Amino acid sequence: MMDAAHETLTPTGRHLRLDTFVRLRWLALTGQSAAVVGAQFGLGLNLPFGWCFLVIAASCWLNLALRIRFPASYRLSDDSAALLLAFDIVQLAGLLFLTGGLQNPFSLLFLAPVLISATALPPERTLALGLLAVGLATLLALVHRPLPWFADGRIELPFLYVSGVWTAILLGTAFTGVYAWRVAEETRQLARALAATELVLAREQHLSQLDGLAAAAAHELGTPLGTIMVVAKELDRQLGPTASPAIAEDLSLLRDQVDRCRGILSKLTSMGEETEEGESFLQTVTLGHLIEELVAPQRALGIAVDVSKQGEGAEPVCRRNPGVMFGLANILDNAVDFAESRVLIEARWSAERVTLTIRDDGPGFPSEVLLRAGEPYVTTRSRDRSRNPDEAGGGLGLGLFIAKTLIERSGAQLLLSNMTEAGAHGALVRVTWARHVFEREAIAPHRVAHNSLRPLTERDAAPI
């Protein structure tokens, strides 16, 4: 399921809206027009005014055509966005050619399209745009019209200065491109991982709600089943002496099946009722029961799972939390997968703290996992190492991130390390709660009134 979620969250998540490109280009065109008009009429520089505005008009025409042709909500493909940014680079190069090439201080604007590409497009598109920008900058360093200057003179900057500007463009393109891509990619990965976590939480919440639905269905079905039983017994009483063997057999089968259904509904109803101590079987569990529920599916996998419990006072009791159960099960799955022969679960509690430690005798956590613990898409698991290649999150590096996120939402602290005792090896995961936090939701649910939902008894009147 996690693979499917990962695929559905990623294809169009990075595609930008056309409206974003159009607005950015209008902003750039406004700045270009202001610079040309200010230099020509404000400073009195001798510019090729008509040619400059022809280049600016080309971008205006493209913007108008895109606005007319496509709706504002249209999202561009990677190729389309790269082409539009390439056009912006070429258009800027045309303006710089007319106004001094790299001697023009606005030549550093070559970085802008590359920066936009790095935040929104795949690395190969950004690399292509960066090479285009550097290539055009190289051409402008060699071929360009003179830098516009006042009418009574002409300025020609030394080639060493132009080389410095070219180097600045080259290094700026490389650095800002890589930096912006890395920051944007980490943001996208975190967003996808959080979305996947929400999907897992929703699934676990739906599962935890099945007990309530089962109890409600049992109460709702109890009344019609009681009516059917009353009718069946009334028919048996009336037709018993004169009924044929076939009818008598059918009536007996009907009573048996009704009794069977009532037994099943009784079991479903009891799942949601309170015990004598006032604790719900499905909602409240002790620490020992929680551990046993985690360990039970692992018993038949060939790895010994030992449990050790020790503490001061009464054993802690907690509210059943699907997120915590899922997170702890994920950590235990990893421990069993990588263990050589044995996994040890230690539960310790005191008046202040509740601690759950999971150790294995496997190779331990790699250094890169410990350094980036809790970040999404950090994994050393390969598909062939996992017991079940189709399990949620297998190989994606989301398992540890989801487990850490879900467990820490319950108020716990999670520590990952490798065992350092002499002669010991393997991974160690320690989860610690303040005891009042661990037990804060361990309250008995309100008793459900059954009087209005009880099935009809044999003495109740039922219309036939």
Side-chain angles (χ1 to χ4, degrees):
M1 178 178 177
M2 190 65 65
D3 289 339
H6 181 266
E7 292 173 0
T8 58
L9 291 171
T10 55
T12 59
R14 71 195 306 163
H15 292 174
L16 292 179
R17 292 191 308 158
L18 175 65
D19 184 64
T20 302
F21 278 90
V22 171
R23 289 177 181 272
L24 287 175
R25 184 176 285 115
W26 282 128
L27 181 62
L29 293 176
T30 302
Q32 292 173 359
S33 302
V36 171
V37 172
Q40 177 75 23
F41 300 104
L43 299 177
L45 302 181
N46 187 19
L47 290 174
F49 190 78
W51 287 104
C52 288
F53 262 92
L54 183 62
V55 174
I56 295 174
S59 287
C60 293
W61 294 333
L62 177 60
N63 251 17
L64 292 174
L66 292 174
R67 179 66 77 186
I68 295 172
R69 176 64 178 82
F70 299 100
S73 59
Y74 180 78
R75 290 191 176 272
L76 296 166
S77 65
D78 292 340
D79 292 336
S80 300
L83 288 175
L84 289 177
L85 290 173
F87 174 84
D88 291 337
I89 294 175
V90 173
Q91 189 259 0
L92 177 61
L95 274 179
L96 292 175
F97 170 79
L98 296 171
T99 57
L102 296 190
Q103 298 180 22
N104 190 322
F106 290 103
S107 58
L108 289 178
L109 290 177
F110 271 129
L111 302 180
V114 179
L115 183 62
I116 295 174
S117 174
T119 60
L121 300 181
E124 56 271 14
R125 268 62 167 208
T126 302
L127 177 61
L129 291 172
L131 293 176
L132 175 63
V134 172
L136 291 176
T138 304
L139 184 62
L140 288 174
L142 303 175
V143 181
H144 57 270
R145 290 177 60 90
L147 179 68
W149 202 243
F150 297 102
D152 57 348
R154 175 176 178 178
I155 185 172
E156 188 69 28
L157 298 177
F159 188 75
L160 181 61
Y161 173 84
V162 176
S163 300
V165 174
W166 179 88
T167 304
I169 293 174
L170 174 63
L171 297 179
T173 299
F175 176 78
T176 58
V178 173
Y179 181 81
W181 172 80
R182 186 59 189 168
V183 171
E185 185 64 18
E186 288 184 358
T187 303
R188 284 191 290 264
Q189 287 182 351
L190 183 60
R192 291 196 298 264
L194 288 174
T197 303
E198 294 298 331
L199 291 177
V200 172
L201 275 175
R203 183 180 65 176
E204 295 302 313
Q205 187 176 11
H206 291 163
L207 292 176
S208 68
Q209 291 173 348
L210 288 180
D211 62 296
L213 295 177
H219 290 305
E220 292 295 331
L221 293 174
T223 299
L225 279 176
T227 303
I228 294 174
M229 174 61 76
V230 172
V231 172
K233 289 184 177 181
E234 184 67 19
L235 289 175
D236 185 45
R237 185 181 63 80
Q238 294 179 1
L239 301 179
T242 60
S244 64
I247 294 178
E249 182 179 357
D250 289 342
L251 289 174
S252 177
L253 177 62
L254 179 61
R255 290 197 305 272
D256 292 341
Q257 294 302 310
V258 171
D259 287 336
R260 182 182 177 187
C261 290
R262 295 180 71 177
I264 295 173
L265 294 180
S266 177
K267 292 180 181 179
L268 292 176
T269 304
S270 65
M271 293 174 67
E273 294 179 350
E274 297 175 348
T275 63
E276 294 180 357
E277 293 79 9
E279 296 176 350
S280 172
F281 172 75
L282 285 175
Q283 297 298 328
T284 306
V285 292
T286 64
L287 180 60
H289 289 158
L290 183 146
I291 295 174
E292 185 58 33
E293 187 172 339
L294 294 173
V295 172
Q298 311 289 345
R299 297 284 189 191
L301 297 178
I303 300 294
V305 182
D306 300 329
V307 178
S308 171
K309 297 187 297 180
Q310 184 178 354
E312 303 174 3
E315 186 173 347
V317 178
C318 68
R319 187 79 164 175
R320 183 181 296 273
N321 186 322
V324 173
M325 298 294 293
F326 183 90
L328 293 176
N330 189 288
I331 293 175
L332 182 58
D333 285 342
N334 287 338
V336 172
D337 280 350
F338 289 97
E340 295 180 358
S341 60
R342 183 170 176 264
V343 173
L344 175 62
I345 301 178
E346 297 177 345
R348 300 289 184 266
W349 64 87
S350 65
E352 294 80 22
R353 296 194 175 278
V354 177
T355 303
L356 187 64
T357 304
I358 301 176
R359 310 169 185 259
D360 64 68
D361 58 356
F365 290 111
S367 58
E368 61 269 18
V369 173
L370 291 178
L371 290 174
R372 301 177 58 193
E375 295 184 15
Y377 303 97
V378 177
T379 182
T380 59
R381 180 191 297 275
S382 59
R383 291 285 183 179
D384 56 349
R385 182 66 192 264
S386 177
R387 297 191 313 269
N388 182 7
D390 296 328
E391 68 182 359
L396 287 179
L398 288 176
L400 184 59
F401 168 79
I402 292 176
K404 187 173 186 295
T405 302
L406 297 182
I407 292 172
E408 290 182 345
R409 279 187 177 184
S410 69
Q413 293 182 347
L414 188 143
L415 173 67
L416 279 71
S417 64
N418 291 323
M419 287 189 284
T420 57
E421 295 84 352
H425 61 89
L428 183 148
V429 179
R430 178 173 287 112
V431 184
T432 305
W433 292 269
R435 181 154 182 165
H436 72 276
V437 173
F438 185 80
E439 296 183 323
R440 62 186 171 189
E441 295 182 353
I443 56 175
H446 298 291
R447 182 179 299 275
V448 180
H450 301 287
N451 295 336
S452 61
L453 297 176
R454 60 182 177 84
L456 291 173
T457 62
E458 188 174 351
R459 298 178 182 179
D460 292 332
I464 300 179

